[in-house]
Amino acid sequence: MIPGAFAYHRPTSVKEAVSLLGNLGDDARALAGGHSLIPMMKLRLASPAHLVDLAGVADLMGIREDGRDVVIGVMTTQHEVIASEPLAKKIPILRETSLLIADPQVRYVGTIGGNVANGDPGNDMPAVMICLNATYHVTGKSGDRRIAAREFYQGAYFTALEPGEIVTAIRVPAPAAGHGYAYEKLKRKVGDYATAAAAVVLTMTGGKVASCSIGLTNVAETPLWAEEAGKILIGSALDAATVKKAVAAAEAITSPASDGRGPAAYRTKMAGVMLTRALARAKERASA
Amino acid sequence: MNDMTPTSAGRAEKLQGMGCKRKRVEDIRFVQGKGNYVDDIKLPGMLYGDFTRSPHAHARVKKIDTTKAAAVPGVVAVITAETLKTVNLAWMPTLAGDVQMVLADGKVLFQNQEVAFVIAEDRYTAADAAELVEVEYEALPCNVDPLKAMSANAPVIREDIKDKKEGAHGPRKHYNHVFNWQAGDKAKADAAFAKADVSIKEMIVYPRVHPCPLETCQCVASFDKIKGELTLWGTFQAPHVIRTVGSLISKIPEHKIHVIAPDIGGGFGNKVGAYPGYICAIVASIVTGRPVKWVEDRIENLSTTAFARDFYMETELAATKDGKVTGLRCYTIADHGAFDACANATKWPAGLFSIISGSYDFPAAHVSVDGVYTNKAPGGVAYRCSFRVTEAAYAIERAMDIMAQKLKMDPAEFRMKNLIRREQFPYTSAFGWVYDSGDYQTAFKKAMETVGYKQLREEQKKRQEAFKRGETRELMGIGVAFFTEIVGAGPSRNCDILGIAMFDSAEIRIHPTGTGICRLGTKSQGQGHETTYAQIIATELGLPADNIMVEEGNTDTAPYGLGTYGSRSTPVSGAATAMACRKIKAKAQMIAAYMLEVHDDDLEWDVDRFRVKGNPERFKTMTELAWAAYHEVPPGMEPGLEAINYYDPPNFTYPFGAYICVMDVDVDTGTSKVRRFYALDDCGTRINPMIIEGQIHGGLTEAFGIAMGQEIHYDEEGNVTTASLMDYFLPTAVETPKWETDWTTTPSPHHPIGAKGVGESPNVGGVPCFSNAVNDAFAFLGSTNIPMPHDNWRTWTAAEKLGLHT
Amino acid sequence: MAKSHISMTVNGKKVEELVEPRTLLIHFLREQLQLTGPHIGCETSHCGACTVDLDGKSVKSCTVFAVQANGADIRTIEGMAAADGTLHALQEAFREMHGLQCGFCTPGMITRAYRLLQENKNPTEDEIRVGISGNLCRCTGYQNIVKAIQYAAAKMSGVPFQEAAE
């Protein structure tokens, strides 16, 4: 219940934050919404000697449109994602996903940045970002760079971030107008991580799938991009037989943990069921 | 009398007595955040205690080094078993006649068992220091499977009693054996099975679960060295028992121990017994001379305090081919964990499990229960179980469904055929329980008609056919449960806790101005006693409920009682309240007769007054009589207006109910959704319908959690894998179904106000109802028994085994 | 560890205190400000008994450090009633509808319901259940809590409360 002691820092600029993290090294953790980190600290599963609170860095907040992209500051809370008009209009899957994360209180404080950056395989946004082919703006002491979400996740709690780097914003290309989308999440109860979840974004032309991108949550050590499954569906009318093939391809890349949510074999099957249902809902929403 | 005179009905309504939905007195402080819970208590100089706990399920403790912990600034002391041995408290007696380590003494026997107790100036320092106690363990093979506990090479859990062939409850047949307990007539039961047309046998498992009240267990101990007095605030459902037991083990004289149970944030049986935290806090206070507070966290609560159930019940029913039950047998292995700390009445190591014949007329029955030790936390009786009645009800209600399936009879029809009939009451069961009253057929018919049972079965048939045709991937299940439970422990000839008979008490004092105070030996943890006992008094004495203060929990002022659990408050203290009122009323009647210059028998009672028969304008209200009691009593009569009653109930009470659940199961994910849940309860006289409804809602929600996902699960190494709220399933408002409540009323003939108690009924009847619903969904495909919990993956696995995913 | 100086407004009153950086907001409120209304029911941020209203957001105060709340405007259950003691509509509603039993979840529940009704003046039953899904209750089964929130919503909107037929 009681975390270990730490020194608290509250920078007011990205530069200051990065400098602090760079200098303090392994002993320091960035604090965003804190609703992943603080519970871990209370169980003493994490005991950073320094916390660098990003809540005072204005540049990390806000949602802006940049051409076809929407750029979301990492300190944007899930509540703000849900309330965002531009996101609701252009990238509605984000709102749908956000509403399935945790509970109302956690959504008021938890950030989309924390959700994408800490590498927890249970987080929902990573698979959605992979599905959307988002890019993360990263800053560290050696400067700025961008990392594709599809290249960001390396293992459980292992990302492509170098020591001292933080994600500052998430750049999401808006899917084409009239796209179909769905985030289908199987969970034991509200607030639980996914037993399995599937993110689907697709477009249809003349009743056939023109493009299809699929992300899977919590069925491996990292979020998964089911690239093969997506390819299989292109040109199809999402008929049962083709969907079945795509599901098989998606199931084949999973390697879930067995835990209270179920044995690995069950969770693999549930990834398939979630994908099937997400595809059906995405199809309903797509125009043409 | 004129138009201005209030009518009897009008006056009765104003009293807010029995039968009305009186708003709760307690709410006024709770909705303002002004409750007084244990962790709200702050005393000058108060210290905080925290435990170092064992990561191992079974290990020798080779060495404990407290140097580093003791050196943390702000740490005042670190206590180990060695410290406690100096005051003979390294071990403490349990409620079940066993002993339990307070702190690890050479061995640890379950994961998270207490090893050392750190006392510091603040809770943050205590937490830091608890991490710094260094313990050297030598891991031992462990066993968490009760079915293997009595095998030849099972690890010895209890070296301290390894060679003892006698336990507190009789002979022990194995070093991991706790007791064997039997009831019924074995020969008669065996004979019934030998000649049965049809019989079923099923291993019905009720998994280990935990009551998980929102407030964890906690206490503040304050020993006054000058006076030699201990004051102990704590989460105690039975404060007087804690005082007596505390005195016996600490040797502090009982009159010098003040136990106070303030507001308690839910009990559900989790807060009955004494925990190492209480003992360590007391010792720490004695040693340091300062108050010591101990508050456990949730993981500690779930993994070390009184769990519930963990019963493996091999259940058999015998019946004629046209569906009349003829015999019942049940052989149970009960997992008691590492110490037998089961909160049962002394003579009942398996509680009231022999209520297992339930609502049905079994001519022959026998049960045998073997308790065993495993490397798990101690406990067993908790979670609205009415002393193992939940286990019994689960076994019989599942078995009835399984038998109905074998007989190809509808489960409701099968039950109706075997329900004890109205004319049979008072009914003596095959186990010797005398059910005092009941009208089961009326209740069951009402339930079935209200839900439209016949139409539901017709709908189910259609949906089954649609499923077979591949038109739907959902299965519909209808769960039925008709339970009879046994509460109100209990008659002194049957029930005692460590030798103290299970009576209970009410002491009522009416003040000169006609208001009063009532103190009782029970202790509410949310049941609304401040509201409901006053309603009984209002009806009995004709004084407004708002004018009666109700107090519980302070052992200095409350008359002795055995506390609140097992739905015993209304049956026992409720009766005591009525009896004490009647003593007061009898005295008031004499005063009235004296004042009105008539004979006692010339008076009749009318709501709130005694009036002269045939001359109703001549009356004295109870308020006037209260004043008179202090002002002008008849010559020779003692002044004052008060009474105390210690009530030894002549029998238990037997609330019953009919529950029906409609469940829709998604075969492809294993998720189940409750479409409808109807609960009809008969608890005899209904004191406050609003509170009864609240109890049913809460109990059904607990039952829902149990049936659909709760489990205190241990892996093979004895690690508790469900020790936090991440994995221990507590439903939110989203998962929790909507509840429909209904009732019939068959008053108890032996209870002064005919009331039976109701708090635990919904857990007793709810769990089998949910489980029967899930099982019923798959029954048409040949499935006989899918065990609880019915979480998604298990239900899916059952569907997989039935070949439903190809 | 050196203490930090923080100040914030709690229930309309300005407070200034010294805290360790690791002091959780719930402990700050309960122990240093003597506001024992919000409670602790778990250590994994699931139960919601510690919920407070912080800068217009429902926040689990067990998952926030007091230093993070520096400068914030916080309302706890103790700040719900009016200055003259008149209970908030929600407090009255919980009593009217029997939306509490042991009272332990109640402060967090009412504080959350307060913000819920600010977000949505007239929520449906489903919206209420989702809205309070971050608050666990072991006693009531939620049904009467839902009714209480509906009662309060009606009162705060000045419309008569219609209890749904059972």
Side-chain angles (χ1 to χ4, degrees):
Chain A
M1 176 74 201
I2 314 287
F6 57 86
Y8 176 75
H9 310 267
R10 196 176 164 106
T12 51
S13 70
V14 175
K15 188 160 176 230
E16 197 189 337
V18 164
S19 170
L20 273 167
L21 286 166
N23 294 339
L24 297 168
D26 277 343
D27 283 339
R29 293 285 298 261
L31 177 65
H35 276 50
S36 294
L37 180 58
I38 296 177
M40 282 178 65
M41 290 174 68
K42 286 164 68 175
L43 294 176
R44 303 214 177 194
L45 296 173
S47 306
H50 298 269
L51 279 190
V52 178
D53 188 355
L54 302 177
V57 183
D59 283 342
L60 297 176
M61 301 172 195
I63 300 173
R64 63 184 173 87
E65 297 176 67
D66 180 17
R68 232 193 102 215
D69 297 343
V70 181
V71 182
I72 309 168
V74 282
M75 290 301 283
T76 305
T77 63
Q78 301 291 353
H79 185 88
E80 286 161 346
V81 167
I82 292 162
S84 161
E85 289 280 335
L87 284 182
K89 242 177 57 177
K90 291 187 156 181
I91 319 175
I93 193 177
L94 288 178
R95 186 169 187 276
E96 175 159 291
T97 304
S98 205
L99 283 166
L100 292 169
I101 293 175
D103 62 52
Q105 286 94 314
V106 176
R107 291 195 289 271
Y108 260 121
V109 182
T111 63
I112 191 168
N115 201 275
V116 303
N118 75 1
D120 183 344
N123 288 146
D124 296 284
M125 285 298 179
V128 177
M129 293 304 168
I130 284 175
C131 176
L132 291 164
N133 200 15
T135 311
Y136 302 147
H137 293 208
V138 172
T139 302
K141 57 181 174 212
S142 17
D144 301 337
R145 63 191 181 112
R146 297 193 183 184
I147 309 176
R150 288 175 187 168
E151 274 144 37
F152 188 77
Y153 302 97
Q154 297 172 345
Y157 301 97
F158 238 122
T159 67
L161 287 178
E162 295 295 327
E165 281 189 319
I166 55 168
V167 179
T168 56
I170 303 163
R171 175 177 288 270
V172 190
H179 72 278
Y181 69 92
Y183 189 68
E184 192 78 28
K185 179 177 179 179
L186 178 66
K187 54 193 189 315
R188 293 175 295 181
K189 59 180 259 195
V190 166
D192 196 16
Y193 289 112
T195 297
V200 166
V201 169
L202 53 73
T203 54
M204 313 274 290
T205 319
K208 305 272 178 95
V209 175
S211 69
C212 181
S213 183
I214 298 166
L216 301 174
T217 297
N218 213 17
V219 284
E221 289 214 339
T222 65
L224 298 173
W225 182 38
E227 189 181 5
E228 194 51 45
K231 281 201 183 123
I232 288 170
L233 291 166
I234 295 184
S236 80
L238 288 171
D239 56 288
T242 316
V243 167
K244 203 167 166 197
K245 280 206 202 111
V247 163
E251 287 180 5
I253 62 169
T254 64
S255 57
S258 292
D259 65 16
R261 298 170 186 88
Y266 166 72
R267 297 181 73 181
T268 290
K269 286 291 170 201
M270 291 309 100
V273 173
M274 291 300 105
L275 175 57
T276 308
R277 295 183 186 186
L279 287 167
R281 281 203 298 125
K283 180 183 182 184
E284 263 173 46
R285 284 166 161 157
S287 26
Chain B
M1 296 260 276
N2 55 39
D3 287 336
M4 300 278 282
T5 310
T7 60
S8 296
R11 282 181 281 122
E13 202 185 317
K14 275 212 166 89
L15 294 179
Q16 291 266 287
M18 295 200 321
C20 80
K21 296 184 183 183
R22 183 181 182 220
K23 300 288 174 277
R24 291 192 349 154
V25 168
E26 318 48 3
D27 291 358
I28 295 168
R29 64 184 183 276
F30 290 154
V31 299
Q32 298 186 72
K34 293 296 181 193
N36 186 34
Y37 302 89
V38 173
D39 200 11
D40 299 344
I41 294 169
K42 209 167 169 185
L43 300 175
M46 191 168 73
L47 299 168
Y48 295 79
D50 200 359
F51 280 110
T52 305
R53 293 177 179 273
S54 166
H56 298 282
H58 198 197
R60 295 207 187 284
V61 176
K62 314 291 307 238
K63 190 161 160 243
I64 304 176
D65 186 349
T66 61
T67 330
K68 289 208 180 99
V72 174
V75 170
V76 172
V78 184
I79 292 177
T80 63
E82 293 314 303
T83 327
L84 294 179
K85 277 177 184 168
T86 64
V87 287
N88 206 24
L89 278 174
W91 291 68
M92 63 177 176
T94 70
L95 291 174
D98 196 357
V99 286
Q100 174 178 357
M101 286 185 225
V102 174
L103 288 172
D105 180 16
K107 264 185 97 175
V108 287
L109 304 186
F110 59 94
Q111 189 177 55
N112 290 343
Q113 185 184 342
E114 300 81 0
V115 176
F117 190 65
V118 172
I119 303 119
E121 297 285 347
D122 64 85
R123 64 181 92 211
Y124 281 46
T125 305
D128 289 341
E131 300 260 302
L132 295 175
V133 174
E134 294 171 313
V135 189
E136 205 181 298
Y137 296 100
E138 179 194 304
L140 296 168
C142 78
N143 178 38
V144 292
D145 183 350
L147 300 178
K148 296 203 173 101
M150 293 197 285
S151 59
N153 349 328
V156 177
I157 314 280
R158 295 290 300 278
E159 282 173 356
D160 59 303
I161 54 170
K162 185 173 55 157
D163 299 317
K164 273 176 101 172
K165 294 281 200 298
E166 279 285 318
H169 306 287
R172 298 174 66 217
K173 54 191 174 196
H174 185 280
Y175 48 80
N176 285 333
H177 187 228
V178 188
F179 65 83
N180 175 266
W181 178 85
Q182 301 187 24
D185 185 330
K186 185 168 194 305
K188 201 169 172 196
D190 288 348
F193 275 87
K195 62 180 207 292
D197 290 343
V198 189
S199 66
I200 57 112
K201 183 187 207 175
E202 192 76 44
M203 170 58 92
I204 295 172
V205 180
Y206 202 134
R208 178 178 279 231
V209 286
H210 191 286
C212 199
L214 199 60
E215 178 204 39
T216 61
C217 301
Q218 37 210 263
C219 73
V220 176
S222 183
F223 184 73
D224 181 326
K225 261 195 199 133
I226 310 290
K227 293 182 182 172
E229 293 178 31
L230 171 69
T231 305
L232 182 66
W233 292 264
T235 47
F236 305 136
Q237 294 179 234
H240 290 92
V241 174
I242 295 288
R243 186 187 71 191
T244 306
V245 168
S247 175
L248 292 172
I249 68 178
S250 71
K251 306 291 188 277
I252 301 170
E254 196 173 358
H255 69 291
K256 292 197 167 184
I257 299 181
H258 316 283
V259 172
I260 299 157
D263 291 322
I264 300 180
F268 315 120
N270 189 220
K271 296 170 173 170
V272 176
Y275 293 115
Y278 305 155
I279 309 301
C280 288
I282 292 169
V283 171
S285 183
I286 294 171
V287 160
T288 62
R290 293 163 67 176
V292 176
K293 175 185 275 189
W294 169 71
V295 174
E296 63 171 3
D297 66 25
R298 179 56 60 191
I299 291 172
E300 293 176 302
N301 174 256
L302 285 175
S303 61
T304 70
T305 65
F307 73 90
R309 323 289 194 264
D310 220 346
F311 257 35
Y312 288 70
M313 306 172 283
E314 192 166 73
T315 311
E316 300 177 85
L317 296 187
T320 65
K321 57 181 180 298
D322 52 292
K324 249 356 224 134
V325 297
T326 56
L328 159 65
R329 286 193 297 217
C330 183
Y331 173 63
T332 295
I333 299 260
D335 188 331
H336 279 240
F339 306 102
D340 186 9
C342 210
N344 276 319
T346 312
K347 298 187 189 64
W348 308 91
L352 303 173
F353 186 65
S354 53
I355 197 65
I356 190 174
S357 55
S359 315
Y360 312 106
D361 190 8
F362 279 94
H366 179 254
V367 291
S368 172
V369 181
D370 276 317
V372 298
Y373 290 118
T374 60
N375 288 116
K376 296 176 175 174
V381 160
Y383 210 173
R384 269 180 152 117
C385 76
S386 305
F387 298 107
R388 300 292 191 186
V389 175
T390 40
E391 291 84 323
Y394 184 65
I396 186 64
E397 290 301 308
R398 282 295 305 127
M400 291 295 279
D401 260 29
I402 293 168
M403 176 59 95
Q405 186 182 16
K406 188 158 187 183
L407 292 168
K408 298 197 185 0
M409 278 179 79
D410 174 277
E413 194 198 320
F414 178 53
R415 283 175 170 77
M416 189 64 99
K417 188 155 190 169
N418 288 286
L419 286 177
I420 299 162
R421 293 179 323 277
R422 197 181 306 127
E423 320 76 81
Q424 291 178 282
F425 286 92
Y427 170 85
T428 304
S429 81
F431 293 102
W433 297 117
V434 181
Y435 298 14
D436 63 341
S437 58
D439 181 354
Y440 295 169
Q441 286 75 13
T442 301
F444 207 19
K445 282 203 186 95
K446 186 175 187 192
M448 304 223 305
E449 268 158 30
T450 309
V451 303
Y453 184 81
K454 220 164 66 97
Q455 292 87 324
L456 286 171
R457 285 292 179 197
E458 282 161 15
E459 181 197 342
Q460 183 184 42
K461 194 116 186 51
K462 291 203 182 89
R463 286 177 184 264
Q464 287 166 350
E465 280 149 26
F467 183 85
K468 284 196 165 137
R469 289 192 302 265
E471 288 161 22
T472 173
R473 297 296 291 163
E474 263 193 7
L475 293 175
M476 174 181 168
I478 303 169
V480 173
F482 197 106
F483 69 92
T484 295
E485 67 150 344
I486 173 173
V487 300
S492 55
R493 67 178 177 281
N494 299 122
C495 298
D496 66 88
I497 300 266
L498 293 178
I500 304 171
M502 291 186 74
F503 58 84
D504 225 286
S505 59
E507 178 184 71
I508 304 171
R509 174 173 303 143
I510 306 299
H511 307 318
T513 49
T515 69
I517 183 165
C518 176
R519 293 176 166 133
L520 310 112
T522 50
K523 176 63 200 153
S524 179
Q525 321 105 43
Q527 295 90 330
H529 290 178
E530 289 169 47
T531 305
T532 51
Y533 282 121
Q535 290 179 257
I536 298 174
I537 295 169
T539 298
E540 291 280 326
L541 294 184
L543 295 169
D546 282 351
N547 288 356
I548 304 295
M549 175 160 299
V550 174
E551 270 186 15
E552 294 172 309
N554 184 327
T555 57
D556 282 343
T557 52
Y560 204 98
L562 280 291
T564 294
Y565 42 82
S567 303
R568 65 187 298 277
S569 302
T570 296
V572 194
S573 270
T577 303
M579 301 305 281
C581 283
R582 288 168 198 183
K583 289 189 204 177
I584 289 172
K585 200 165 165 187
K587 181 169 184 175
Q589 183 165 5
M590 292 196 287
I591 298 172
Y594 171 73
M595 292 171 81
L596 293 166
E597 296 174 322
V598 296
H599 199 270
D600 289 1
D601 297 340
D602 294 328
L603 292 173
E604 62 187 7
W605 176 255
D606 173 41
V607 178
D608 59 354
R609 60 197 59 183
F610 284 105
R611 64 184 182 200
V612 179
K613 288 178 186 167
N615 214 352
E617 319 88 73
R618 301 195 67 227
F619 61 85
K620 287 291 169 199
T621 65
M622 185 58 78
T623 307
E624 291 173 293
L625 295 167
W627 183 261
Y630 291 87
H631 169 64
E632 55 161 324
V633 290
M637 178 189 280
E638 220 177 287
L641 194 60
E642 66 186 68
I644 184 169
N645 180 266
Y646 288 91
Y647 189 76
D648 183 357
N651 193 359
F652 293 83
T653 57
Y654 302 84
F656 61 91
Y659 292 178
I660 301 179
C661 173
V662 183
M663 187 91 79
D664 294 303
V665 180
D666 176 342
V667 156
D668 291 322
T669 56
T671 52
S672 303
K673 196 153 165 66
V674 174
R675 200 200 299 175
R676 186 173 187 185
F677 197 102
Y678 169 90
L680 182 152
D681 280 277
D682 192 313
C683 60
T685 303
R686 290 158 58 84
I687 299 163
N688 184 324
M690 177 188 82
I691 287 188
I692 292 171
E693 184 191 70
Q695 289 292 303
I696 303 298
H697 289 176
L700 289 177
T701 303
E702 289 186 337
F704 173 74
I706 290 171
M708 306 309 290
Q710 281 171 6
E711 193 192 3
I712 295 292
H713 178 259
Y714 289 78
D715 69 16
E716 277 176 10
E717 275 89 58
N719 297 307
V720 189
T721 65
T722 53
S724 83
L725 297 186
M726 169 74 80
D727 288 296
Y728 189 68
F729 175 59
L730 293 191
T732 71
V734 171
E735 295 81 42
T736 304
K738 293 200 251 255
W739 311 114
E740 290 168 63
T741 59
D742 202 349
W743 66 91
T744 56
T745 304
T746 54
S748 166
H750 71 75
H751 189 279
I753 57 172
K756 294 184 177 179
V758 78
E760 293 168 308
S761 290
N763 203 316
V764 172
V767 172
C769 192
F770 289 114
S771 193
N772 280 349
V774 175
N775 272 279
D776 184 73
F778 292 96
F780 78 112
L781 298 163
S783 166
T784 327
N785 188 40
I786 304 168
M788 293 195 292
H790 299 295
D791 47 6
N792 299 344
W793 74 266
R794 285 183 173 93
T795 306
W796 182 90
T797 304
E800 175 85 346
K801 289 205 176 106
L802 290 167
L804 301 183
H805 297 131
T806 45
Chain C
M1 184 56 60
K3 291 204 170 168
S4 303
H5 174 264
I6 57 172
S7 68
M8 56 186 77
T9 305
V10 182
N11 296 328
K13 244 177 58 174
K14 187 120 198 278
V15 299
E16 288 191 40
E17 292 277 334
L18 291 173
V19 292
E20 282 185 61
R22 66 169 170 166
T23 302
L24 296 168
L25 182 58
I26 183 63
H27 286 136
F28 175 69
L29 294 169
R30 287 181 53 83
E31 317 257 309
Q32 290 180 246
L33 300 186
Q34 327 298 340
L35 295 167
T36 56
H39 296 132
I40 296 172
C42 77
E43 62 273 18
T44 51
S45 310
H46 286 101
C47 78
C50 64
T51 302
V52 301
D53 202 69
L54 191 158
D55 290 342
K57 300 175 279 193
S58 296
V59 172
K60 293 180 179 179
S61 64
C62 72
T63 316
V64 172
F65 296 114
V67 289
Q68 289 175 279
N70 190 26
D73 186 1
I74 296 178
R75 197 176 197 190
T76 70
I77 186 70
E78 289 94 337
M80 292 297 300
D84 66 357
T86 310
L87 294 181
H88 190 277
L90 278 163
Q91 291 171 303
E92 180 195 318
F94 270 66
R95 184 164 189 241
E96 276 301 308
M97 293 292 118
H98 190 38
L100 65 148
Q101 293 179 27
C102 81
F104 203 72
C105 78
T106 307
M109 191 71 76
I110 289 180
T111 307
R112 169 58 196 146
Y114 165 75
R115 183 50 54 189
L116 170 63
L117 291 181
Q118 300 296 308
E119 293 161 6
N120 183 349
K121 275 194 167 56
N122 193 16
T124 64
E125 167 153 4
D126 280 347
E127 285 169 339
I128 291 175
R129 285 177 179 267
V130 170
I132 62 171
S133 60
N135 291 76
L136 298 178
C137 173
R138 294 294 283 148
C139 295
T140 68
Y142 305 104
Q143 193 150 315
N144 286 344
I145 291 177
V146 171
K147 275 198 194 156
I149 295 171
Q150 289 170 325
Y151 178 103
K155 180 150 201 225
M156 287 162 73
S157 299
V159 300
F161 172 63
Q162 291 276 53
E163 205 169 318
E166 291 286 315

